């Protein structure tokens, strides 16, 4: 069911959004009714019974069985309805379709890594075929995160050392925001991603392209793209400014001091090691917080990043 | 306002009579004990959860607890509850020296309890059976054996802190009794101390089988 | 000051205040600490709103922002709202309403205040020595790993918990044992019933928070591993432990507020409260159910669907007694004689705002919608509507109501009306927009945000300034009134509860004679109050 959104809700773009929004609107309209009732009565009484002179004795009627039963029973019935309606849609949201395509989602501070069944992986961009149920298998490498796509009305916490699951089926082509919804530190509000729902053909084409590398383009251009797509910019600058990790400007070829006190040359091997095993040699003055890219970066991509870093040295 | 001469010194100004004051104290102490039950309750829940998740490990780890020492401690605490109750009874009969004797006995037994615990703890420290990241002992079969000892130290540690606090209160009661501040008409603080001490004993009576007598 | 023999003036000297056993003085001591905490928490809030006025960095970076929202929550919850009405108002009013000379355990009462101050100082120390960035909820494993003064802050909260427990214990025993002759249970004012229900929660829930914090501290210092998945522990277990206290805690916040509202509506409608027993018992119903619903904070935590269903169902139950109270208050106003002085304006504001807060709770107890709304600004808006729109409105309503009794002075009624209006308008501007932000997908605890949320955030931030102006005005006229306000009579509002039968301010011993009940607290159909 498609939804076009309202004052409160964004347009729904998943198969469950319509159901969720219907529940939301039910609670909303009932709530508005009771709110208006309460405010109206309060305003009416204040005006109608406004004190005009020193009050004498007022009415001692402090019971009305019919009224009290009414305002106990009707709300009770209403909340049971809310419960049932909410629970039924919740069941639909929790029971994962048997034919769902499974994508592994790994959350780490502060990015999303996706592993597709075809052996492809991506960072911060979840590409899915439209009108296909997708099951996300979620786990974290560090603290608790939460996988939230507002347009799909899907949310599930992502835990360390444990798997949680959720599912969705995008029902229109487009790009939808993915946000982390469980506070996880400095980069929590920047741990953003995009879910890209594509036609089945486009998805297949994307899968192909995702595994390949265009060798006619200079390597450092690829490196520059990877600097963005692999989210290196989250912690490294290219203009010499300090950040969570060392700046890449004028980095290559330098002699770096490590937190152990040893000195090391920033050469191709050092950069490669820092990408695959970042905690092995940590630069002095920086925390060992870089996540590893082992398993989610290809060798040729490492070559491209090294080329890019080299290109950031200023000519003397 | 009744400021007449027949208002005893131990009757606080905001109470109308001694019975009201004593009742209030009793109710207050029972409510306080209820909070203590909830406090330890949280740890009992943690114990239950982790024992349910690691039943064999708990069984294997508990073998390293000394059942003899644990049993002696149980008898020691139960006896101390008896002496505590007897000290109150003595004051009800107006026997100050007897009250003091029983209070001293309770204090002594509490010391014995803590000394035995000291020996148990040092032995564990010696073996490396320490909580959490300090755990180095390798003899226990099962995953994450440190959890058993972490919970053991947390629960017996919290209990030990309560025993120590109780000892200070008993010393205070000894001082007040020696200064003749109690009588058969007024011994409420002794009663309150007794209630607290019985709870401390009761908690141990639950801890003992849960840790020492598994399986 | 007013009457020569009043508790403010007798006995004299700083030492007589710091070693006082007089519940009225202890209430004032608490009021000072609580007010300062509210101001600190408010400043933190204004800084948060200033940073959020646009997505770019405005005044602070992400790490500092994370500390700001953590401290705003911790300060407001543990230093202001949980002690709030019970400590600053309950302490003053409870014995007077009961016709008693003091609370059951005056020394314990003073000790509770010292514990509160010690906890406050430790919290302030932790703020300046490393601070905390975990959120007031301290979720593991983030809280066990992050640097900062987490141990100091959690120790401060642990200590503050005892202040809460001892206050609840004291009030419970006082209510049982120190009622004036003739004051049977059903002749007590409803504020007392509310304080009693609150005390039950304080007594039963707070120790569980204490042990949770102890376990967190042990995890951080000794690495005991019960919340660390790598060591066989479970981070979600922390959430269970934490919310087992923290859900009932929100009823510690709202029940006294509802008690205040009962008093305000009865007095300013000059009418017998409708459904006395229903209101009294609903407080206990709410207290009881509050212990059964903690899992509604964890619908997306990975807990089982069955658990979520049970918690959702039980959560709905708590709506019923709350709704009953609102209807009873409205029915009280029917055929009353309503006067709109400032305390009543705060109470009417409560009815408006708490209704929104309570009704929006429905979205969150409904499973399907909570999945979308959890951890978004919708939740932030909901809890501010109930805690601020509910408790804070009642706190200031009660403060204005009992102000003449406390100080023997009246405040400026014109400026008081201006203040409540500004707070009401500012509050709605600040927080209503947040319902929309949340439903549109804006998560909470975000330092920056997607551009489509800018307009609503800007509107919200402007609202916060309007609120702040209202509070500044309030502080000024309240402080002014202490020294220069018109002298207040014994019973300026014409109320029938017992605290209005003694002078304003009361003498140190509360009453000039031993009190005996002569009429019920809401006998507006039988007795004429001695208004002056």
């Amino acid at each position: 069911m498609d939804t076009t959104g309202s004052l409160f809700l964004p347009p729904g773009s998943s198969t469950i959004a319509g159901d969720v929004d219907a529940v939301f609107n039910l609670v909303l309209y009932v709530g508005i009714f009771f709110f208006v009732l309460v405010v109206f009565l309060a305003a009416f009484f204040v005006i109608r019974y406004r004190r005009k002179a020193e009050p004498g004795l007022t009415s001692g009627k402090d019971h009305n069985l019919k009224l009290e039963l009414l305002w106990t029973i009707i709300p009770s019935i209403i909340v049971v309805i809310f419960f049932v309606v909410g629970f039924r849609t919740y069941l639909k949201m929790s029971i994962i379709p048997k034919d769902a395509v499974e994508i592994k989602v790994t959350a780490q501070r502060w990015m999303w890594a996706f592993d597709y069944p075809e052996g492809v992986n991506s960072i911060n961009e979840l590409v899915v075929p439209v009108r296909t149920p997708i099951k996300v298998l979620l786990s974290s490498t560090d603290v608790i995160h939460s996988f939230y796509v507002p347009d799909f009305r899907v949310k599930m916490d992502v835990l360390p050392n444990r798997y949680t699951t959720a599912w969705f089926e995008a029902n229109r082509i487009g790009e939808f925001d993915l946000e982390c919804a469980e506070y996880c530190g400095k980069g929590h509000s920047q741990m953003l991603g995009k879910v890209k729902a594509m036609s089945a053909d486009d998805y297949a084409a994307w899968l192909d392209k995702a595994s390949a590398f265009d060798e006619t383009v200079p390597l450092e251009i690829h490196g520059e793209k990877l600097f963005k797509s692999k989210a290196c910019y989250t912690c490294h600058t290219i203009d010499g400014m300090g950040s969570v990790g060392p700046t890449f400007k004028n980095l290559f070829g330098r002699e770096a001091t490590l937190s152990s006190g040893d000195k090391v040359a920033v050469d191709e091997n050092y950069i490669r090691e820092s990408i695959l095993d970042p905690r092995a040699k940590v630069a002095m003055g920086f925390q060992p917080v870089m996540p590893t890219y082992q398993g989610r970066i290809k060798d040729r991509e490492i070559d491209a990043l090294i080329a890019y870093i080299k290109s950031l040295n200023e000519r003397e | 306002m009744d400021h007449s001469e027949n208002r005893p010194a131990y009757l606080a100004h905001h109470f109308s009579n001694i019975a009201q004051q004593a009742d209030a104290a009793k109710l207050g102490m029972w409510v306080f004990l209820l909070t203590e039950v909830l406090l330890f309750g949280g740890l009992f829940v943690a114990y239950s959860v982790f024992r349910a998740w690691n039943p064999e490990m708990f069984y294997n780890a508990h073998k390293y607890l000394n059942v003899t020492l644990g049993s002696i401690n149980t008898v020691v605490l139960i006896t101390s509850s008896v002496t505590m109750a007897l000290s109150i009874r003595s004051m009800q009969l107006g026997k100050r020296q007897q009250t003091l004797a029983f209070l001293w006995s309770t204090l002594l037994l509490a010391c014995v309890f803590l000394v035995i615990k000291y020996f148990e703890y040092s032995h564990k420290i010696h073996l490396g059976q320490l909580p959490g990241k300090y755990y180095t002992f390798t003899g226990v079969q099962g995953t994450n054996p440190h959890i058993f000892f972490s919970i053991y130290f947390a629960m017996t540690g919290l209990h030990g802190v309560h025993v120590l606090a109780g000892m200070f209160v008993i010393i205070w009661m000894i001082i007040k009794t020696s200064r003749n501040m109690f009588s058969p008409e007024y011994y409420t603080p002794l009663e309150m101390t007794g209630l607290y001490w019985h709870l401390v004993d009761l908690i141990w009576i639950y801890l003992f089988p849960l840790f020492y007598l598994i399986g | 000051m007013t009457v020569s023999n009043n508790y403010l003036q007798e006995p004299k000297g700083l030492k007589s205040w710091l070693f006082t056993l007089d519940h009225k003085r202890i209430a004032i001591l608490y009021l000072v600490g609580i007010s300062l905490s509210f101001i600190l928490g408010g400043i933190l809030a204004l800084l948060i709103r200033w940073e959020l006025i646009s997505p770019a960095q405005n005044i602070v970076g992400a790490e500092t922002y994370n500390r700001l929202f953590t401290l705003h929550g911790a300060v407001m919850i543990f230093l202001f709202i949980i002690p709030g009405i019970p400590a600053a108002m309950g302490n003053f009013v409870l014995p007077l309403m009961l016709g008693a000379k003091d609370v059951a355990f005056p020394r314990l009462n003073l000790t509770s205040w010292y514990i509160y101050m010690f906890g406050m100082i430790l919290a302030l120390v932790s703020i300046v020595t490393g601070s905390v960035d975990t959120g007031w909820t301290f979720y593991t494993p983030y809280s066990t790993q992050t640097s900062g003064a987490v141990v100091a802050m959690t120790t401060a909260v642990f200590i503050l918990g005892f202040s809460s427990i001892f206050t609840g214990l004291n009030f419970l025993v006082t209510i049982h044992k120190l009622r004036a002759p003739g004051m049977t249970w059903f002749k007590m004012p409803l504020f007392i019933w509310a304080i009693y229900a609150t005390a039950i929660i304080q007594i039963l829930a707070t120790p569980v928070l204490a042990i949770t914090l102890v376990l967190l501290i042990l995890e951080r210092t000794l690495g005991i591993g019960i919340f660390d998945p790598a060591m066989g522990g479970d981070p979600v277990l922390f959430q269970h432990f934490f919310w087992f206290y923290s859900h009932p805690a929100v009823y510690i916040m709202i029940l006294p507020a509802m008690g205040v509202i009962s008093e305000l509506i009865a007095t300013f409608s000059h009418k017998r409260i409708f459904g006395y027993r229903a209101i009294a018992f609903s407080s206990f119903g709410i207290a009881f159910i509050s212990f059964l619903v903690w899992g509604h904070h964890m619908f997306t935590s990975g807990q089982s669907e069955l658990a979520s269903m049970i918690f959702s169902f039980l959560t709905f139950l708590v709506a019923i007694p709350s709704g009953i109270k609102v209807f009873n208050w409205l029915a009280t106003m029917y055929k009353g004689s309503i006067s709109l002085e400032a305390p009543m304006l705060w109470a009417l504001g409560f009815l408006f705002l708490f209704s929104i807060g309570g009704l929006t709770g429905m979205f969150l107890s409904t499973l399907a919608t909570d999945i979308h709304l959890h951890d978004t600004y919708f939740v932030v808006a909901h809890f501010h509507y109930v805690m601020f729109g509910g408790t804070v409105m009642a706190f200031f309503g009660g403060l204005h109501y009992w102000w003449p009794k406390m100080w023997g002075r009246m405040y400026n009624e014109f400026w008081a009306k201006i203040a409540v209006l500004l707070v009401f308008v500012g509050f709605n501007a600040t927080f209503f927009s947040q319902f929309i932000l949340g439903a549109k997908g804006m998560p909470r605890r975000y330092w920056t945000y997607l551009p489509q949320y800018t307009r609503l955030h800007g509107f919200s931030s402007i609202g916060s300034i309007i609120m702040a102006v209202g509070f500044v005005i309030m502080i000024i006229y309240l402080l002014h009134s202490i020294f220069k306000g018109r002298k207040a009579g014994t019973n300026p509002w014409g109320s029938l509860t017992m605290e209005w039968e003694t002078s304003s301010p009361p003498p140190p011993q509360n009453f000039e004679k031993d009190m005996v009940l002569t009429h019920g607290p809401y006998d507006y159909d039988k007795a004429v109050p001695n208004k002056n």
Side-chain angles (χ1 to χ4, degrees):
Chain A
M1 209 200 298
D2 231 19
T3 63
T4 48
S6 65
L7 168 65
F8 288 98
L9 296 166
S13 302
S14 74
T15 51
I16 203 70
D19 290 345
V20 173
D21 291 5
V23 177
F24 184 96
N25 288 325
L26 172 67
V27 178
L28 179 68
Y29 295 136
V30 172
I32 289 176
F33 171 76
F34 279 100
F35 173 67
V36 167
L37 179 69
V38 167
V39 172
F40 172 75
L41 286 174
F44 178 69
F45 292 160
V46 163
I47 296 169
R48 173 80 178 75
Y49 301 110
R50 187 76 189 271
R51 188 179 300 179
K52 297 188 179 66
E54 266 321 296
L57 300 176
T58 47
S59 163
K61 269 202 272 208
D62 60 350
H63 274 307
N64 183 325
L65 187 63
K66 278 204 198 97
L67 205 54
E68 292 180 75
L69 282 176
L70 193 74
W71 68 46
T72 307
I73 291 176
I74 291 187
S76 301
I77 294 174
I78 290 175
V79 299
V80 171
I81 292 174
F82 286 170
F83 169 70
V84 170
V85 165
F87 155 64
R88 284 167 56 165
T89 298
Y90 173 71
L91 277 184
K92 282 196 217 171
M93 294 161 93
S94 314
I95 296 176
I96 301 176
K98 284 208 172 50
D99 55 338
V101 171
E102 185 177 297
I103 297 179
K104 174 75 178 54
V105 179
T106 308
Q108 44 191 25
R109 285 187 283 201
W110 287 281
M111 60 186 223
W112 300 96
F114 304 105
D115 292 292
Y116 302 79
E118 297 82 357
V120 167
N121 51 60
S122 66
I123 293 199
N124 287 342
E125 180 187 78
L126 174 58
V127 182
V128 296
V130 77
R131 281 179 271 281
T132 312
I134 309 288
K135 168 185 172 184
V136 283
L137 183 65
L138 308 155
S139 78
S140 164
T141 58
D142 41 42
V143 298
I144 300 181
H145 300 273
S146 192
F147 178 88
Y148 177 40
V149 185
D151 295 327
F152 293 171
R153 316 288 188 264
V154 68
K155 181 185 290 120
M156 179 55 71
D157 282 5
V158 184
L159 306 172
N161 276 56
R162 223 180 99 180
Y163 293 110
T164 50
T165 56
W167 80 276
F168 60 84
E169 179 178 326
N171 61 10
R172 60 173 143 203
I173 289 170
E175 287 192 13
F176 311 101
D177 294 315
L178 163 64
E179 298 167 308
C180 176
E182 185 59 56
Y183 174 69
C184 54
K186 180 179 176 187
H188 170 58
S189 56
Q190 294 157 305
M191 194 166 155
L192 300 170
K194 279 264 188 254
V195 182
K196 293 190 175 154
M198 304 180 170
S199 70
D201 290 339
D202 286 347
Y203 177 68
W206 176 84
L207 276 180
D208 277 341
K209 199 156 147 257
S211 351
F213 220 63
D214 182 354
E215 294 291 342
T216 61
V217 174
L219 208 50
E220 61 256 33
I221 306 287
H222 284 298
E224 189 178 8
K225 289 206 195 104
L226 286 164
F227 176 76
K228 295 195 184 85
S229 68
K230 296 291 183 191
C232 314
Y233 65 87
T234 316
C235 302
H236 296 277
T237 66
I238 55 169
D239 61 358
M241 294 291 290
S243 184
V244 181
T247 182
F248 287 165
K249 183 174 180 187
N250 293 330
L251 175 68
F252 191 84
R254 248 191 338 104
E255 186 184 66
T257 310
L258 302 177
S259 55
S260 57
D262 297 331
K263 293 200 196 298
V264 72
V266 179
D267 59 7
E268 288 86 347
N269 284 315
Y270 174 75
I271 294 179
R272 183 188 172 82
E273 186 182 28
S274 299
I275 293 174
L276 296 176
D277 186 9
R279 317 272 162 110
K281 294 190 177 67
V282 180
M284 174 161 280
F286 294 95
Q287 295 298 309
V289 296
M290 177 170 164
T292 174
Y293 283 82
Q294 184 79 47
R296 57 181 83 263
I297 195 167
K298 301 184 203 145
D299 281 345
R300 198 71 185 123
E301 292 176 318
I302 296 179
D303 294 341
L305 279 168
I306 291 172
Y308 176 59
I309 291 173
K310 282 182 184 167
S311 77
L312 294 173
N313 281 9
E314 272 170 342
R315 310 234 172 282
E316 245 114 288
Chain B
M1 300 274 134
D2 176 15
H3 292 302
S4 57
E5 292 308 311
N6 51 22
R7 225 185 135 84
Y10 51 79
L11 179 60
H13 77 102
H14 56 290
F15 286 113
S16 329
N17 56 67
I18 300 160
Q20 190 188 51
Q21 178 174 278
D23 279 353
K26 257 180 254 192
L27 178 60
M29 181 48 80
W30 277 106
V31 171
F32 175 69
L33 295 184
L34 188 58
T35 69
E36 293 277 45
V37 169
L38 265 298
L39 184 77
F40 278 93
L43 287 178
F44 278 104
V45 168
Y47 171 94
S48 313
V49 166
F50 283 101
R51 181 161 166 191
W53 287 345
N54 304 283
E56 293 99 40
M57 182 274 281
F58 263 65
Y59 175 74
N60 292 329
H62 103 281
K63 291 190 208 155
Y64 289 92
L65 296 183
N66 189 322
V67 179
T68 312
L69 288 182
S71 306
I72 294 177
N73 257 351
T74 307
V75 170
V76 162
L77 268 191
I78 292 177
T79 312
S80 75
S81 262
V82 173
T83 55
M84 185 71 224
L86 286 172
S87 79
I88 296 168
R89 181 82 188 117
S90 306
M91 185 45 76
Q92 284 174 333
L93 299 172
K95 298 186 175 163
R96 193 170 65 108
Q97 289 308 330
Q98 204 170 301
T99 306
L100 281 169
F102 280 122
L103 283 174
W104 278 110
S105 310
T106 310
L107 190 66
L108 188 66
L109 288 165
C111 275
V112 169
F113 178 88
L114 288 182
V115 164
I116 292 181
K117 279 243 78 63
Y118 167 79
F119 282 119
E120 284 186 278
Y121 276 20
S122 356
H123 184 65
K124 289 195 178 41
I125 292 170
H126 177 69
L127 286 180
Q129 292 165 339
L130 286 164
K133 62 186 187 198
Y134 299 104
Y135 183 84
T136 53
F137 187 67
T138 50
V140 178
Q141 303 275 54
T143 46
N144 296 311
H146 66 91
I147 287 180
F148 176 85
F149 292 99
S150 292
I151 296 181
Y152 168 81
F153 276 109
M155 293 190 82
T156 58
L158 187 65
H159 177 260
V161 165
H162 282 80
V163 170
L164 196 60
M167 287 170 67
F168 281 113
V169 174
I170 291 171
I171 291 172
W172 188 22
M173 290 299 110
I174 289 173
I175 293 172
K176 286 182 99 141
T177 309
S178 329
R179 290 191 186 159
N180 232 340
M181 293 173 82
F182 299 132
S183 66
E185 289 79 40
Y186 175 70
Y187 52 91
T188 309
L190 282 176
E191 266 190 302
M192 301 300 103
T193 308
L195 282 174
Y196 173 79
W197 194 252
H198 294 323
L199 182 80
V200 168
D201 182 20
L202 188 67
I203 289 172
W204 176 260
I205 289 171
Y206 278 92
L207 282 183
F208 174 63
L210 283 181
F211 282 104
Y212 291 79
L213 304 177
I214 298 178
Chain C
M1 297 289 168
T2 46
V3 180
S4 58
N5 175 31
N6 75 64
Y7 80 98
L8 288 168
Q9 296 194 301
E10 304 236 340
K12 290 200 195 306
L14 182 66
K15 257 179 83 173
S16 74
W17 277 86
L18 291 178
F19 292 100
T20 183
L21 295 179
D22 182 345
H23 67 95
K24 303 181 290 300
R25 286 191 165 193
I26 294 174
I28 301 295
L29 290 174
Y30 266 115
L31 184 63
V32 171
I34 284 166
S35 304
L36 290 174
S37 301
F38 183 69
I39 292 170
L40 174 62
I43 291 173
L44 290 164
L46 290 172
L47 291 171
I48 290 172
R49 285 306 334 154
W50 186 354
E51 175 53 42
L52 291 177
I53 206 159
S54 80
Q57 172 165 341
N58 293 302
I59 46 168
V60 293
E63 284 165 313
T64 308
Y65 179 81
N66 294 339
R67 295 190 189 120
L68 286 179
F69 73 69
T70 301
L71 298 174
H72 168 71
V75 166
M76 282 300 202
I77 287 173
F78 295 114
L79 291 175
F80 168 67
I81 208 173
I82 284 185
I85 294 173
M89 249 160 267
N91 259 316
F92 195 95
V93 167
L94 189 93
L96 290 171
M97 265 188 178
L98 294 176
K101 300 187 181 84
D102 209 311
V103 292
F105 308 118
R107 283 174 298 183
L108 185 65
N109 206 8
L110 183 68
T111 307
S112 300
W113 180 76
Y114 274 105
I115 293 174
Y116 170 77
M117 292 307 294
F118 184 59
M120 180 196 287
I121 290 169
L122 186 55
L124 293 172
V125 163
S126 72
I127 291 175
V128 299
T129 60
S131 199
V132 187
D133 73 334
T134 57
W136 81 276
T137 47
F138 299 112
Y139 273 19
T140 56
Y142 187 83
S143 61
T144 45
Q145 298 172 3
T146 188
S147 60
V150 177
V151 172
M153 179 62 90
T154 44
T155 307
V157 174
F158 176 84
I159 290 169
L160 289 165
F162 285 100
S163 179
S164 188
I165 291 172
F166 292 143
T167 299
L169 190 159
N170 220 335
F171 286 168
L172 188 144
V173 178
T174 307
I175 295 169
H176 270 279
K177 294 293 170 191
L178 289 176
R179 278 170 285 129
M183 191 180 290
T184 54
W185 283 91
F186 294 112
K187 291 218 168 80
M188 295 194 309
L190 285 167
F191 181 66
I192 309 286
W193 280 97
I195 292 283
Y196 191 109
T198 306
I200 292 178
I201 306 179
Q202 284 172 297
I203 285 160
L204 294 180
T206 318
V208 180
L209 176 73
I211 204 67
T212 304
L213 295 174
V214 166
L215 288 173
L216 182 64
I217 293 171
L218 290 179
E219 182 91 348
R220 241 182 112 83
T221 51
L222 300 177
I224 55 170
I226 69 168
F227 302 128
D228 183 351
M231 290 177 79
D234 183 4
V236 180
L237 184 64
F238 176 84
Q239 296 179 35
H240 282 289
F241 273 127
F242 179 83
W243 287 112
F244 187 81
Y245 163 73
S246 299
H247 189 79
V250 311
Y251 296 99
I252 295 176
M253 302 172 198
I254 198 64
L255 284 174
M258 291 169 158
V260 171
I261 297 301
S262 290
E263 300 307 324
L264 297 182
I265 295 204
T267 298
F268 290 92
S269 305
H270 198 85
K271 188 161 165 278
R272 173 179 290 289
I273 201 110
F274 189 97
Y276 174 98
R277 287 193 191 208
I279 295 183
F281 290 139
S282 67
S283 298
F284 282 87
I286 291 172
F288 174 66
I289 300 173
S290 75
F291 279 95
L292 306 176
V293 301
W294 77 90
H296 67 229
H297 298 268
M298 297 167 60
F299 287 151
T300 65
S301 66
Q303 79 182 357
S304 73
E305 284 92 8
L306 178 64
S308 294
M309 279 158 43
I310 295 173
F311 283 120
S312 166
F313 182 76
L314 290 171
T315 304
F316 278 113
L317 293 187
V318 86
I320 309 297
S322 313
I324 287 174
K325 283 185 198 269
V326 172
F327 293 126
N328 277 313
W329 290 323
L330 284 174
T332 305
M333 291 165 65
Y334 175 70
K335 291 203 173 151
S337 169
I338 298 174
S339 121
L340 292 180
E341 282 109 329
M344 186 57 167
L345 293 179
W346 287 100
L348 291 172
F350 174 99
L351 282 179
F352 185 104
L353 299 174
F354 177 73
S355 296
I356 295 179
L359 291 167
T360 51
M362 303 263 114
F363 291 92
L364 300 172
S365 49
T366 305
L367 286 163
T369 42
D370 182 79
I371 301 297
H372 177 64
L373 298 170
H374 172 70
D375 254 326
T376 67
Y377 261 73
F378 193 95
V379 177
V380 176
H382 160 72
F383 67 65
H384 281 95
Y385 264 86
V386 282
M387 294 205 290
F388 189 126
T391 304
V392 174
M393 299 294 281
F395 180 88
F396 288 111
L399 191 64
H400 283 72
Y401 180 57
W402 284 302
W403 192 260
K405 183 59 59 184
M406 286 177 173
W407 303 102
R409 304 272 186 166
M410 295 301 287
Y411 48 80
N412 184 308
E413 179 63 29
F414 170 76
W415 285 108
K417 289 193 163 88
I418 299 282
V420 62
L421 192 69
L422 285 173
V423 169
F424 180 80
V425 167
F427 175 84
N428 279 304
T430 308
F431 289 106
F432 197 84
S433 35
Q434 295 187 6
F435 282 124
I436 304 175
L437 275 172
K440 290 278 189 198
M442 165 87 203
R444 43 182 302 203
R445 297 176 165 169
Y446 262 37
W447 166 71
T448 183
Y449 48 83
L450 292 167
Q452 64 256 35
Y453 301 127
T454 307
R455 191 126 24 101
L456 285 167
H457 267 295
F459 187 71
S460 174
S461 294
I462 291 172
S464 68
I465 297 172
I466 299 173
M467 261 203 290
V469 172
F471 282 118
V472 168
I473 292 175
M474 192 176 79
I475 293 170
I476 294 173
Y477 70 69
L478 282 180
L479 286 176
H480 175 269
S481 75
I482 293 176
F483 304 101
K484 294 274 196 326
R486 175 171 57 85
K487 292 210 176 132
T490 313
N491 192 355
W493 313 118
S495 170
L496 284 174
T497 45
M498 213 177 255
E499 74 272 27
W500 304 104
E501 292 182 32
T502 186
S503 55
S504 306
Q509 71 274 27
N510 287 354
F511 299 97
E512 295 294 344
K513 57 183 184 7
D514 288 351
M515 294 303 284
V516 163
L517 191 90
T518 52
H519 54 256
Y522 308 114
D523 279 355
Y524 294 100
D525 57 328
K526 298 188 195 138
V528 178
N530 189 9
K531 182 171 178 176
N532 72 91

